[in-house]
Amino acid sequence: MPGFVHCVERVAHSGVSAYNRNIQNLPDRAPCTSKHNNKASHMTLLQLINERVEAALAAAGAPDAPAVVQPASKAEFGDYQANGVMGAAKKLKMNPRELAAKVIEQLDLEGIASKVEIAGPGFINIHIDPQWLATRSLAALGDAHLGIAMPERRKVMVEYSSVNLAKEMHVGHLRSTIIGDVLARVHEFLGQDVTRANHVGDWGTQFGMLTAYLMESRNDGDAALALNDLEEFYRKAKVRFDESPEFADLAREYVVKLQGGDAEVLALWRQFVDVSLDHCHQVYDTLGVSLTREHVKGESSYNDDLPVVVKDLDTLGLLKEDDGARVVFLEEFRTQEDKPMGVIIQKKDGGYLYTTTDLGAIRYRHRVLGLDRVIYVVDARQSQHFQQLFQIARMAGFAPQQMVLEHVPFGTMLGDDGRPFKTRSGGTVKLIELLHEAKERAYALVNEKNPDLAEQDKQAVARAVGIGAVKYADLSKNRTSDYVFSWDSMLSFEGNTAPYLQYAYTRVQSVFRKAGDYRADAPVIITEPAEKQLAMALAQFEDVLLNVAETSQPHHLCQYLYHIATLFSRFYEACPILKSEGEVRASRLQLSALTARTLSTGLGLLGIEVLDAM
Ligand code: ARG
């Protein structure tokens, strides 16, 4: 089995109790010395089977026919099924079952599959050899990276959260922040060169109003106090703007001063932005999101590039004059009158727009950062903006063809009533308040289920479960659809929820607490069906992660972890661990260890904490 380095290591933990040593050393062993397997020759199990079936198809007279290998849809179909034979036979005008028989004759899965058979009209069912799985499991256990090899390293940017700093973070910011963070973590785990970007909205006319109001409240007394509640601050500034023409004029004047780099107005602006960013980072910390101040690169930072963007577009002859504004017309996008749609780059008054800034950002991301792939995790309602943006960026040469630009859209978070999530009185829900409520609800649950737990532990469980539940409820849904936010279902200990998975993890950990001695290099022996199913699923972790990285769909990882937890439960019931003896006991502990590490790694990639007990 090329590509997997087997290394067993023991870490000495001086001063740690024997109890802790078991927990710390075993299922979640510290990294061993083997480096990531960076070999280009490494293939995942799915890729390997796919390649072998394709080679067999070619040898059977169907060169270039895709093998279409997938995990089997039902257990009786084995572990994998190749569905490509029917298509290939049709092209060759052959009987598909005959072609399937020829393919099987040519198919080399020596040491990998224990049985290969034809099914139905010409499917090929592949049963993975338990011995192969045993070796694979042991190799994964011996590797800090669970035997997962790195695909080719590329420069990937994940742009997420990207809130507008004019207001406090509300539930509308939750999805981008949570989903983006998972994508960044998964790419990183897969060895990619990841840049996180928080493209915050910190520029534009609103900030003229806000800085003008900050100036006023400073003159009136305590500005810091006024900024305490950003929502309030924004609301009051808006009232002033609407009621007083003088104030409105001042606000407009401040916009011009901001853009012109006036030191005093800039200082006020910076003060506002700072306070607002502090709020954001308080939310990120509570959420356990990996964004730091270093990842913030706001719209304002492209201010100086905007005239250059306009100039470049103009030089290429892409700009047209339309009612005083400078516009790019796109043939592919049609207006209601079936005319090419215009995207405004510069307004009549000289001001720039959202798209202009985004063009500046793309230009920077190519020229300065040299990125290979940029992933924008932004609400589905901005889909058209991104389609147009990407097209203009290509036309202008700001992004070369090989630079992948992807909008990763998501739907809206809804309340019980099926309408966008709001407070009872219809206001927007502040994110920090929602997260506090999550922890309170989780605390009440722990208190009820486990009243004897120490207070400190209760708090830790409440945090892990409360925040985990909010994140998991979001991540486990297909992101493209809207989803209903429900405390009861997300905090349930049954079904596909964070508490269920966290609990499953503690169950595995409790096995180790009771087991005492454990041999990290014990061979894995697979005889029972429940052992095989668990080992098979564990061997698919790598393919699942690659799929998440490719499709930007974290729910595949959630589904997978839920599957693992379910299979572990079955294994636990069917195959006694602690009551068995010798090699069997040691092997079952190994499968349990791999389960624990897969669950904790997977949940870690989802940004969800695991606990040894709850
Ligand atoms: N700040 C924007 C908003 O709240 C989202 C920014 C998304 N990213 C981008 N590059 N346009 O709507």
Side-chain angles (χ1 to χ4, degrees), residues 159 162-164 173 199-201 299 354 358 365 376 378 382 385-386:
E159 196 215 91
S162 303
V163 302
N164 283 333
H173 298 121
H199 184 84
V200 298
E299 293 185 5
Y354 186 52
D358 261 330
R365 289 165 184 184
Y376 294 81
V378 185
Q382 295 194 27
H385 162 71
F386 283 105

Side-chain angles (χ1 to χ4, degrees), residues 45-58:
L45 180 53
L46 185 61
Q47 288 163 351
L48 181 68
I49 299 174
N50 215 57
E51 191 204 63
R52 297 286 173 91
V53 176
E54 268 163 23
L57 271 162

Side-chain angles (χ1 to χ4, degrees), residues 182 185 471-472 475 554 557-558 561 601-608:
V182 174
R185 287 174 199 256
K471 283 178 153 179
Y472 194 86
L475 294 167
L557 177 55
C558 298
L561 295 175
T601 306
L603 286 169
L605 292 173
L606 295 174
I608 294 175

Side-chain angles (χ1 to χ4, degrees), residues 100-113:
K102 281 194 174 173
V103 171
I104 290 179
E105 236 167 68
Q106 300 292 337
L107 184 58
D108 174 18
L109 286 174
E110 182 71 42
I112 301 169

Side-chain angles (χ1 to χ4, degrees), residues 117-129:
E117 58 198 355
I118 307 176
F123 297 105
I124 296 177
N125 291 347
I126 297 161
H127 300 253
I128 300 299
D129 188 345

Side-chain angles (χ1 to χ4, degrees), residues 163-167 200-204 206-208 210-211 214 227 230 233 258 265-281 293 296-301:
V163 302
N164 283 333
L165 296 183
K167 295 189 182 183
V200 298
D202 60 356
W203 208 234
Q206 286 181 329
F207 289 88
L210 292 164
T211 42
L214 188 56
L227 281 176
L230 279 184
F233 187 86
L258 257 184
V265 179
L266 270 179
L268 284 167
W269 168 78
R270 245 180 233 120
Q271 191 189 349
F272 183 87
V273 165
D274 245 7
V275 171
S276 187
L277 275 174
D278 280 346
H279 276 280
C280 293
H281 283 275
R293 279 287 179 102
V296 174
K297 186 160 166 61
E299 293 185 5
S300 63
S301 67

Side-chain angles (χ1 to χ4, degrees), residues 205-246:
T205 49
Q206 286 181 329
F207 289 88
M209 176 180 90
L210 292 164
T211 42
Y213 189 65
L214 188 56
M215 176 65 116
E216 252 191 23
S217 34
R218 199 173 64 171
N219 294 341
D220 290 351
D222 196 346
L225 193 70
L227 281 176
N228 228 345
D229 188 331
L230 279 184
E231 282 307 299
E232 259 306 277
F233 187 86
Y234 184 90
R235 209 183 48 73
K236 286 187 190 155
K238 184 80 173 57
V239 168
R240 283 286 288 137
F241 187 88
D242 291 338
E243 78 187 4
S244 156
E246 295 88 63

